[in-house]
Amino acid sequence: MEISLLYFDGCPNWKVADQRLASIASERPDVVVTRHRVETMEESERLGFHGSPSIVVDGVDVFAEPGAGVGLSCRVYRTPDGLAGAPTMDQLRTALGVKDVAAR
């Protein structure tokens, strides 16, 4: 599975998502994570970039909400503990269809 992490330098939250995705990838050799820095508003519009960080699988932002705008902004995720700058490990595993190795 190929996952793209889209981000922009002005948002620190992408690093948390990157660490969580790296953890999942270390458990699953079939998961490959690439990083893509979005640098301009034009690129943001072309990619359908809903903010940093965005997790894209096969061209689909797996956390996109209907009507979400695009742009160079930090993204907010709804988590069980409230709003956060990145999805939780459980949310990532669910969205990616990846089971927790420890739960096996």
Side-chain angles (χ1 to χ4, degrees):
M1 171 187 311
E2 292 190 26
I3 302 167
S4 295
L5 173 63
L6 280 61
Y7 68 96
F8 80 100
D9 282 335
C11 182
N13 299 323
W14 76 269
K15 293 177 182 179
V16 173
D18 186 44
Q19 290 171 346
R20 291 176 181 165
L21 289 170
S23 178
I24 290 171
S26 73
E27 299 167 355
R28 295 277 309 266
D30 61 321
V31 172
V32 176
V33 179
T34 59
R35 291 148 201 87
H36 181 95
R37 185 175 62 225
V38 180
E39 298 184 18
T40 66
M41 189 59 184
E42 293 77 19
E43 184 179 20
S44 173
E45 290 171 357
R46 182 174 46 80
L47 294 172
F49 180 58
H50 297 291
S52 178
S54 289
I55 293 93
V56 178
V57 179
D58 296 329
V60 176
D61 183 329
V62 295
F63 289 98
E65 294 186 7
V70 297
L72 297 176
S73 62
C74 288
R75 188 168 179 169
V76 177
Y77 290 85
R78 299 176 205 282
T79 73
D81 296 324
L83 298 177
T88 66
M89 287 293 288
D90 286 341
Q91 288 176 309
L92 284 168
R93 284 189 174 100
T94 298
L96 302 173
V98 175
K99 293 185 179 179
D100 187 352
V101 170
R104 291 182 195 172

